[in-house]
């Protein structure tokens, strides 16, 4: 026999308050609610196993309590290989859950077909997503971009200081005596944040009287691996490779192992991101981007934008600092 669904009235009776008070609690309206009342309702919900009916809640609030995390790749494959992105998605899911919201993964075709399913959109800034931004901004829901696009579209922008990442990386390698270095990055214009990283590196090299050598590619592990093999085969290995993402740096380390190159003696390696767990396990020197803080800020800004009761919130741009993590590869 199926177990009967616990009702809001039962929760109210157990907590010793009115159904209206429980309803306010479930909708996050705590302004006139004491701490003791909130604790009683929370305990009753847990004890009774009460589950919110999402359809009923959406009819009351006019919201789906769902945020679309939009990917530019319809297959998602590149994102699920990107551990940095996966960690971002994990943290933002946790943050939104605490705030009474959930995320769904959608590509651009899906978001335009299912806009009624979401209350807001979070999108990673790349050349692939930028072409959709004008249309995205016409959907009349809050939009947050993680990283900047080349043009301003009126969306909220949360990003790390990519220029600082390039500066910090070059200064670190030069301070260690690695004056002959090569930079691995995306082709110009592919990801604006990577262009900022390269500009920071370029300006710092120029200030130190050094020339810049750049190799561009898709910044995958295979790209990093193939780059080292090609440089080794042509006797053009530099003293150091500054990989503007940890993913490509991992490929570099794999190639060094296969070619029996000593790191950092034969080749120093520096990444950018500090992918949680992975970079530390590999003892990869890298520039840490504060992914947890970025995800937490995105969650709070999104909910604030959704629950502003129709009041316009001016576009926000917040820039997060980076941090050098020196490990064994440099």
């Amino acid at each position: 026999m199926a177990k009967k669904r616990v009702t809001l009235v039962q929760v109210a009776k157990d907590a010793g308050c009115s159904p209206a008070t429980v309803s306010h609690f479930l909708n996050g309206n705590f302004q006139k609610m004491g701490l003791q009342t909130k604790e009683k309702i929370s305990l009753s919900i847990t004890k009774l196993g009460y589950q919110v009916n999402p359809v009923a809640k959406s009819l009351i609030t006019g919201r789906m309590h769902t945020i679309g995390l939009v990917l530019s790749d319809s297959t998602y494959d590149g994102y699920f290989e990107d551990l940095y992105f996966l960690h971002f998605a994990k943290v933002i899911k946790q943050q939104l859950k605490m705030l009474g919201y959930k995320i769904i993964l959608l590509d651009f075709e899906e978001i335009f077909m299912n806009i009624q399913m979401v209350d807001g959109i979070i999108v990673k800034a790349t050349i692939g997503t930028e072409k959709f931004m004008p249309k995205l901004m016409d959907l009349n829901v809050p939009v947050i971009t993680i990283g900047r696009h080349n043009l301003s579209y009126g969306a909220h922008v949360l990003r790390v200081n990519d220029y600082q990442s390039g500066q910090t990386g070059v200064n670190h390698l030069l301070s260690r005596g690695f004056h002959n270095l090569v930079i691995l990055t995306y082709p110009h214009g592919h990801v604006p944040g990577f262009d900022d990283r390269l500009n920071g590196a370029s300006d710092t090299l120029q200030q130190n009287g050094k020339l810049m050598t750049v190799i561009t590619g898709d910044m995958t592990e295979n790209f990093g691996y193939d780059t080292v093999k090609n440089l080794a085969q042509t006797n053009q290995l530099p003293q150091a490779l500054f990989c503007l993402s940890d993913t490509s740096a991992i490929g570099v380390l794999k190639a060094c192992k296969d070619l029996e190159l000593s790191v950092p003696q034969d080749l120093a390696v520096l990444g950018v991101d500090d992918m949680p767990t992975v970079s530390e396990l590999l003892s990869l020197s890298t520039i840490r981007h504060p992914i947890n803080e970025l995800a937490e800020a995105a969650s709070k800004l999104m909910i604030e934008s959704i629950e502003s009761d129709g009041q316009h919130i001016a576009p926000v741009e917040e820039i997060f600092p980076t941090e050098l993590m020196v490990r064994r590869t440099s």
Side-chain angles (χ1 to χ4, degrees), residues 54-330:
V55 175
K57 189 174 182 181
S58 68
L59 289 173
I60 295 169
T61 63
R63 306 186 189 115
M64 295 303 296
H65 291 84
T66 302
I67 308 302
L69 188 56
V70 182
L71 316 178
S72 59
D73 185 349
S74 61
T75 65
Y76 304 163
D77 290 345
Y79 288 88
F80 292 140
E81 292 174 0
D82 183 349
L83 296 180
Y84 185 83
F85 170 81
L86 283 179
H87 187 76
F88 174 83
K90 175 185 175 182
V91 175
I92 206 164
K93 177 183 177 181
Q94 293 169 341
Q95 291 294 315
L96 288 171
K97 184 177 181 180
M98 289 190 293
L99 296 169
Y101 285 74
K102 61 181 179 293
I103 64 167
I104 55 173
L105 299 180
L106 300 168
D107 64 20
F108 272 96
E109 181 180 346
E110 292 167 337
I111 193 65
F112 294 125
M113 292 172 59
N114 299 284
I115 185 58
Q116 72 280 358
M117 294 174 55
V118 302
D119 302 308
I121 297 168
I122 299 174
V123 60
K124 190 176 180 181
T126 68
I127 193 172
T129 62
E130 182 154 24
K131 62 184 178 182
F132 292 100
M133 284 303 294
K135 189 176 178 182
L136 206 59
M137 296 305 297
D138 287 339
L139 295 177
N140 199 32
V141 296
V143 178
I144 296 176
T145 69
I146 304 303
R148 70 170 185 86
H149 285 112
N150 288 306
L151 299 176
S152 174
Y153 298 96
H156 299 305
V157 178
L158 300 179
R159 63 186 181 90
V160 297
N161 192 332
D162 286 298
Y163 186 89
Q164 180 190 45
S165 295
Q167 286 180 310
T168 302
V170 167
N171 279 326
H172 168 64
L173 292 172
L174 293 179
S175 72
R176 291 300 176 99
F178 303 118
H179 297 285
N180 174 20
L181 58 95
V182 171
I183 299 173
L184 273 57
T185 188
Y186 281 111
H188 179 75
H190 188 80
V191 181
F194 277 74
D195 293 343
D196 293 340
R197 296 177 196 181
L198 186 61
N199 289 336
S202 174
D203 289 348
T204 305
L205 284 168
Q206 188 175 9
Q207 291 163 9
N208 285 275
K210 306 294 182 183
L211 296 176
M212 182 173 69
T213 302
V214 180
I215 299 176
T216 62
D218 58 10
M219 297 303 286
T220 60
E221 285 188 27
N222 286 339
F223 169 65
Y225 186 95
D226 292 341
T227 296
V228 173
K229 293 203 75 172
N230 292 336
L231 290 171
Q233 289 171 357
T234 56
N235 295 315
Q236 297 183 70
L237 273 178
Q239 292 176 300
L241 281 179
F242 183 14
C243 308
L244 299 191
S245 79
D246 282 359
T247 302
S248 57
I250 290 171
V252 168
L253 293 178
K254 286 183 178 179
C256 288
K257 181 179 179 181
D258 289 350
L259 295 172
E260 297 183 347
L261 295 173
S262 178
V263 178
Q265 290 78 13
D266 296 327
L267 180 67
V269 183
L270 180 66
V272 176
D273 282 336
D274 198 25
M275 292 196 305
T277 307
V278 176
S279 299
E280 188 170 359
L281 282 174
L282 294 173
S283 200
L284 173 66
S285 294
T286 187
I287 312 297
R288 171 177 287 175
H289 285 184
I291 189 168
N292 287 3
E293 291 85 345
L294 195 65
E296 290 167 10
S299 301
K300 292 176 182 177
L301 179 58
M302 177 57 73
I303 304 309
E304 179 185 348
S305 299
I306 292 170
E307 300 184 353
S308 62
D309 295 326
Q311 296 181 0
H312 175 70
I313 296 181
V316 171
E317 180 171 11
E318 188 172 356
I319 303 173
F320 295 78
T322 62
E323 179 185 2
L324 175 65
M325 306 301 296
V326 180
R327 299 188 180 110
R328 293 180 183 176
T329 63
S330 65

Side-chain angles (χ1 to χ4, degrees), residues 27-44:
N27 292 319
N29 299 323
F30 306 130
Q31 293 89 341
K32 298 180 180 180
M33 193 178 302
L35 179 61
Q36 188 176 14
T37 300
K38 287 192 288 185
E39 289 178 347
K40 285 182 178 180
I41 294 172
S42 180
L43 287 171
S44 294

Side-chain angles (χ1 to χ4, degrees), residues 44-57:
S44 294
I45 288 172
T46 302
K47 181 175 73 174
L48 298 176
Y50 176 76
Q51 294 181 327
V52 178
N53 184 324
V55 175
K57 189 174 182 181

